[in-house]
Amino acid sequence: MLKKDDKKNEKKGEKEIDKLVKKLTLDEKIAMIHGASLFRSGAVERLGIPAIETSDGPMGVRAEFMDDRWIPAGNQDDMVSYLPSNSALASSWNTELAYRTGHILGAEARGRGKDVILAPGINIKRDPLCGRNFEYMSEDPALTKALVVPFIQGVQENDVAACVKHFAANLQETDRLMVDEEIDERTLYELYLPAFKAAVQEAGVYSVMGAYNKINGTHCCESKKMLDEILRQEWGFDGAVISDWGGVHRTKEAAECSMDLEMSIFPDFDDYKLANPLKELVEKGEVSVDAVDAKVRNLLRMMYRLKMIGPKKDSRKAGAYNVPEHRETILHAAEESMILLKNENHVLPLNAKKIKKLAVIGANAATLHSNGGGSAEIKALYEISPLAGLKMYLGGNVRVTYAQGYYVPQNKADDGENWQAVSVDKDSDAGKAVRDEVHENEMHRRGEEARLAKLEQEKEVIHEKNEKLFAEALEAAKDADAVIFVGGLNHEYDVEGCDRPDMKLPYEQDLLIEQLLKARKDTILTFVGGSPVEMPWREQAQTILWSYYAGMETGNAFAKILFGEVNPSGKLAETFPAKYDDCVTAKNGQFGKWGKITLEEGLYCGYRYYDRQRIKPAFCFGYGLSYTSFEYSGLTLKAEKGKDVKLTFSVKNVGKCAGAETVQIYIAPIAAQADRPDKELKAFAKVELGAGRSKKVSLTLKQEDFMYFDAQLHKFIADAGDYEILVGASCEDIRLRGIATLN
Ligand code: BGC
């Protein structure tokens, strides 16, 4: 909600924008609405309108590139703080941390002189194999929504625009530029849009990135339905829509919908669809000047809000990057993001005093991840690996032996150019030859196929090399006081532009884990990765700890958790299925296909599907252990203001150490009139409790929490009747139940 002063200011802004639009020539307007370099729009110096400086991305501000090539500029001052990925942040279930993390990203972006930070990515995770899942938050819209709002507010407090992406339903990397997704209206509105809507209406996001994919036959960046009807008319968005890089394919269509700034991966800026081709159409009278003006206005409005233009220019915040406070919060976020999946016989926490020799096994113990993943890559000021973190924690008197354990082929493809350059035909001058759609897409297909083929070919080499590495690992494990395995994925797998070939741990890790568990059943299995993996040995394992890419302080957080200085409190923001074949998308075959996918499962993805089909996942949505345990009691429900339901209950820490519990509220309609998922998350709270302490938790469910989208009426409605209110420690572990009646 805008305050009175803000409203006044916005009015002033509109007047200023009107004046500027009147003064701008067609050429100047056109310059403003497409990229003038890979990450910058055109400026109009004559009128004091600066270029809009954009930068990726979600885990920190990306290094500088040359203006027209995907080659790092080689600067010394573009190292930054490496933030936890959204998948890590979401596992903290901590909205305050989401705000603080967003605030850091905004401050660092501003500090680096950026106007728009191309984050956060909030697409709903529909399939565990999507290459970009690590950049996204959750399979659940309510959790995503609750985190994205404070995150964006945090970013934008720095006079930097968040650019929430990718609008919408950017669900797979396979065929990402062309894939057409058939989605029914209800599924779109209930699963794939709510977090974007909240970004607009609750967080007041200044910009939105149009996705690459098509929805029901139309590219998102050219879609009147997505950009005009839904985003602007239904939600009232008045900021700027920026295309994903190369997401605009047709001039007239993009000109006539609310696509305000066309960006691309090609350096032929004058030939962008919203450049010369648009100018020609305007001159021929086929596109109105009003259509161009609308885009210019949206961009100017964002610039005014960012104090890039207007009377408040001098008071624009300066930002700050690489400051110590940022590292503190990043460490805290990493600590809250790690998820303890199993801990039998109290193997964890380890007692540092009792350890003289520690064996650390696995390539991910020593792998740095910040410089990979696609556009989310960054040049981190530093990154503490798990191995470094353990050594720092224990000091030099404890003998830490490290064995790589399994072989990871080095990626030789990096010839100094960025991966994004791979989608540009290097042999052609300035990439002109690749501008026709078929060719562009073909390049992409070749890239993807080559990548998957490479992963397949490497298997043989891996197998050969592993014999020796496995033997070394087993030797190291033999007489150690504790054995910590650190495996998982890396950005060869969690990567933009390609989906994972399967849900298995790569590099024969499963074989090594089985052997380690045979030799030492107390082996502590830990993982760093961006998306779920199958864990066929999980019954035999006593201890499993999962970390998403958790930022520059990963290793420190990791050590503090293993040695009990921090009590783990992360919970899964997505289901870890027992095997890929259990996923609805594996069953319906509607993921990772070229050309077209149909979301046949409708609302039934993630826990909604496992619930309905009674399929037991390895670890369910909302699940995560602590070194202590919690008891829930005394649920009362009270109707409030005629519409809301107020819930009150107590949570008690009944263990021996302090800890934090995320309590989750699900709604389960009883005798629903429409088809409704068995239960849906509607609220949650993270409660910190000292040993033996208890706290009263109060949460309010609003009427909209009981609603579903009626496609015929084209609106959200709630049926009168009874609803079961479930209070749980995860979606499977329901501790308290009550009934609310809606009149
Ligand atoms: C990605 C976006 C990113 C953009 C700019 C695209 O390929 O999909 O997420 O912001 O590149 O690097």
Side-chain angles (χ1 to χ4, degrees):
M1 269 286 150
L2 287 178
K3 288 193 231 96
K4 216 172 155 194
D5 275 0
D6 294 340
K7 269 193 190 152
K8 246 181 154 175
N9 187 37
E10 292 265 313
K11 253 197 177 158
K12 255 199 200 157
E14 291 306 314
K15 278 197 187 140
E16 177 130 358
I17 292 166
D18 281 342
K19 272 195 222 152
L20 283 171
V21 172
K22 279 193 193 122
K23 289 184 196 156
L24 284 161
T25 66
L26 179 61
D27 280 327
E28 287 168 337
K29 290 174 189 169
I30 297 270
M32 286 177 64
I33 62 172
H34 70 272
S37 92
L38 293 177
F39 283 99
R40 187 184 311 125
S41 67
V44 183
E45 276 166 30
R46 180 178 75 88
L47 297 173
I49 301 173
I52 299 168
E53 299 280 352
T54 73
S55 175
D56 287 302
M59 309 203 293
V61 188
R62 199 177 183 185
E64 296 299 325
F65 283 94
M66 293 169 76
D67 277 352
D68 54 359
R69 299 198 63 186
W70 292 94
I71 297 180
N75 295 0
Q76 292 300 315
D77 59 357
D78 54 358
M79 289 173 171
V80 289
S81 303
Y82 167 30
L83 279 77
S85 59
N86 270 347
S87 44
L89 186 62
S91 319
S92 77
W93 293 62
N94 185 332
T95 52
E96 166 68 17
L97 261 183
Y99 163 76
R100 282 160 60 196
T101 307
H103 193 87
I104 295 174
L105 186 61
E108 298 236 341
R110 198 57 218 115
R112 283 267 309 277
K114 305 299 176 196
D115 304 310
V116 178
I117 184 82
L118 306 170
I122 58 163
N123 293 108
I124 294 295
K125 302 185 194 197
R126 171 174 177 257
D127 184 295
L129 302 186
C130 171
R132 288 186 91 170
N133 274 351
F134 73 98
E135 288 188 59
Y136 304 146
M137 290 178 169
S138 174
E139 67 188 28
D140 182 79
L143 177 56
T144 308
K145 185 174 143 174
L147 295 167
V148 77
V149 170
F151 187 98
I152 290 171
Q153 287 165 339
V155 170
Q156 296 193 160
E157 276 176 9
N158 296 283
D159 295 338
V160 166
C163 184
V164 67
K165 67 192 190 182
H166 308 87
F167 185 68
N170 193 178
L171 301 174
Q172 65 174 48
E173 292 303 288
T174 306
D175 197 16
R176 68 174 180 154
L177 302 177
M178 289 310 220
V179 69
D180 182 15
E181 299 176 359
E182 193 179 319
I183 313 179
D184 68 82
E185 195 92 328
R186 181 172 172 199
T187 303
L188 189 64
Y189 273 83
E190 277 186 43
L191 279 190
Y192 298 104
L193 294 185
F196 285 102
K197 182 179 178 191
V200 169
Q201 295 189 334
E202 292 170 42
V205 75
Y206 294 150
S207 74
V208 172
M209 187 186 291
Y212 279 138
N213 52 283
K214 297 179 191 167
I215 294 181
N216 299 329
T218 310
H219 271 113
C220 289
C221 289
E222 298 165 7
S223 169
K224 271 198 175 13
K225 164 136 189 149
M226 295 305 295
L227 301 183
D228 293 274
E229 286 169 29
I230 297 179
L231 187 61
R232 301 242 182 233
Q233 286 151 28
E234 287 180 20
W235 300 350
F237 179 67
D238 63 359
V241 177
I242 302 176
S243 76
D244 199 344
W245 271 230
V248 171
H249 301 263
R250 293 175 304 173
T251 300
K252 197 165 159 53
E253 283 73 3
E256 288 180 341
C257 76
S258 239
M259 164 49 59
D260 304 317
L261 174 57
E262 182 196 359
M263 299 302 288
S264 184
I265 54 173
F266 300 102
D268 53 343
F269 308 108
D270 292 341
D271 295 334
Y272 281 20
K273 308 291 180 211
L274 297 188
N276 283 341
L278 173 59
K279 192 181 161 196
E280 275 165 34
L281 289 191
V282 175
E283 283 169 350
K284 277 197 244 160
E286 286 177 32
V287 169
S288 70
V289 175
D290 284 354
V292 179
D293 285 356
K295 300 178 195 304
V296 171
R297 271 172 207 284
N298 292 332
L299 291 169
L300 286 172
R301 190 172 302 115
M302 176 178 78
M303 291 163 102
Y304 189 86
R305 287 172 179 162
L306 295 176
K307 307 191 182 104
M308 294 170 69
I309 55 171
K312 295 194 175 170
K313 251 171 33 185
D314 294 339
S315 65
R316 188 172 188 200
K317 295 201 175 119
Y321 64 113
N322 291 336
V323 291
E325 304 88 85
H326 290 182
R327 275 133 32 206
E328 269 167 44
T329 300
I330 288 169
L331 171 60
H332 186 159
E335 289 167 0
E336 288 210 22
S337 77
M338 294 182 187
I339 308 138
L340 184 62
L341 295 175
K342 218 176 158 183
N343 191 25
E344 283 172 9
N345 303 334
H346 302 284
V347 173
L348 287 181
L350 294 169
N351 182 344
K353 286 194 194 107
K354 289 195 180 145
I355 290 178
K356 298 275 168 299
K357 189 179 163 198
L358 177 71
V360 181
I361 294 165
N364 252 357
T367 304
L368 302 184
H369 299 283
S370 48
N371 60 352
S375 58
E377 66 180 9
I378 54 153
K379 217 155 101 184
L381 182 64
Y382 65 79
E383 176 182 351
I384 297 176
S385 69
L387 181 62
L390 288 168
K391 288 189 174 186
M392 286 161 77
Y393 190 86
L394 291 170
N397 291 346
V398 175
R399 223 178 110 206
V400 178
T401 48
Y402 171 63
Q404 190 188 318
Y406 56 89
Y407 178 69
V408 178
Q410 291 311 300
N411 184 9
K412 285 192 246 28
D414 187 4
D415 54 5
E417 284 211 347
N418 183 267
W419 72 276
Q420 258 160 328
V422 177
S423 30
V424 184
D425 190 343
K426 285 187 199 154
D427 300 325
S428 74
D429 187 22
K432 271 208 165 111
V434 294
R435 293 314 307 274
D436 89 89
E437 201 167 79
V438 181
H439 190 85
E440 187 178 320
N441 203 40
E442 185 51 31
M443 291 302 298
H444 196 75
R445 178 196 288 264
R446 267 191 260 153
E448 259 191 65
E449 281 172 357
R451 189 171 193 104
L452 291 174
K454 184 185 127 228
L455 296 180
E456 194 54 39
Q457 274 161 19
E458 286 169 353
K459 284 189 176 161
E460 218 169 284
V461 189
I462 292 168
H463 189 65
E464 269 168 33
K465 303 242 183 195
N466 274 351
E467 197 179 330
K468 185 163 159 261
L469 294 173
F470 278 24
E472 283 167 9
L474 290 164
E475 184 59 32
K478 239 194 239 128
D479 60 343
D481 299 317
V483 181
I484 300 173
F485 171 82
V486 191
L489 301 169
N490 55 34
H491 288 309
E492 285 292 298
Y493 287 86
D494 290 313
V495 69
E496 180 175 336
C498 205
D499 294 315
R500 279 195 294 160
D502 54 47
M503 214 178 92
K504 299 190 190 317
L505 279 169
Y507 317 122
E508 301 189 328
Q509 291 179 71
D510 287 332
L511 289 178
L512 175 61
I513 293 171
E514 270 160 25
Q515 294 186 22
L516 280 171
L517 286 174
K518 247 187 228 151
R520 291 280 307 245
K521 60 175 191 294
D522 62 345
T523 301
I524 297 157
L525 299 172
T526 72
F527 300 91
V528 178
S531 30
V533 295
E534 290 174 11
M535 301 183 182
W537 30 258
R538 68 183 188 284
E539 296 300 330
Q540 290 91 277
Q542 294 183 344
T543 312
I544 308 174
L545 178 77
W546 182 269
S547 171
Y548 288 94
Y549 303 109
M552 65 206 297
E553 291 284 339
T554 295
N556 284 334
F558 184 79
K560 282 178 150 190
I561 286 179
L562 293 184
F563 288 97
E565 197 180 313
V566 166
N567 189 351
S569 65
K571 293 205 178 198
L572 292 177
E574 63 183 313
T575 310
F576 271 45
K579 51 185 191 310
Y580 182 65
D581 287 348
D582 287 346
C583 300
V584 67
T585 35
K587 296 223 161 70
N588 66 24
Q590 296 297 324
F591 171 82
K593 284 200 313 174
W594 284 76
K596 180 166 180 169
I597 54 169
T598 305
L599 277 66
E600 286 171 3
E601 73 282 2
L603 298 171
Y604 295 95
C605 95
Y607 66 86
R608 290 164 169 79
Y609 174 72
Y610 299 103
D611 267 2
R612 177 58 54 95
Q613 295 300 324
R614 308 273 178 272
I615 295 172
K616 181 122 185 75
F619 302 104
C620 72
F621 177 80
Y623 172 83
L625 300 172
S626 159
Y627 294 150
T628 184
S629 39
F630 302 93
E631 269 174 21
Y632 296 46
S633 63
L635 174 66
T636 60
L637 301 176
K638 221 172 88 195
E640 250 188 10
K641 293 186 215 150
K643 284 180 183 165
D644 300 348
V645 178
K646 188 168 172 196
L647 268 91
T648 315
F649 56 96
S650 294
V651 185
K652 183 169 185 197
N653 179 348
V654 293
K656 292 200 182 75
C657 59
E661 170 73 332
T662 295
V663 297
Q664 302 153 42
I665 315 299
Y666 297 85
I667 291 189
I670 299 172
Q673 286 161 40
D675 179 31
R676 306 280 305 258
D678 296 6
K679 62 168 147 358
E680 292 180 284
L681 180 78
K682 292 299 171 183
F684 61 89
K686 194 162 187 173
V687 191
E688 279 180 37
L689 286 168
R693 308 302 288 244
S694 66
K695 222 180 230 173
K696 218 178 192 179
V697 181
S698 294
L699 288 163
T700 302
L701 294 172
K702 296 217 154 37
Q703 189 169 32
E704 65 195 48
D705 291 323
F706 295 84
M707 292 184 167
Y708 62 94
F709 189 79
D710 185 310
Q712 238 139 42
L713 300 173
H714 194 78
K715 64 176 192 191
F716 278 90
I717 57 169
D719 291 331
D722 288 345
Y723 293 78
E724 203 174 10
I725 309 296
L726 311 170
V727 181
S730 76
C731 90
E732 282 178 1
D733 184 8
I734 302 302
R735 305 285 185 88
L736 303 169
R737 290 164 189 270
I739 290 190
T741 306
L742 224 63
N743 299 317

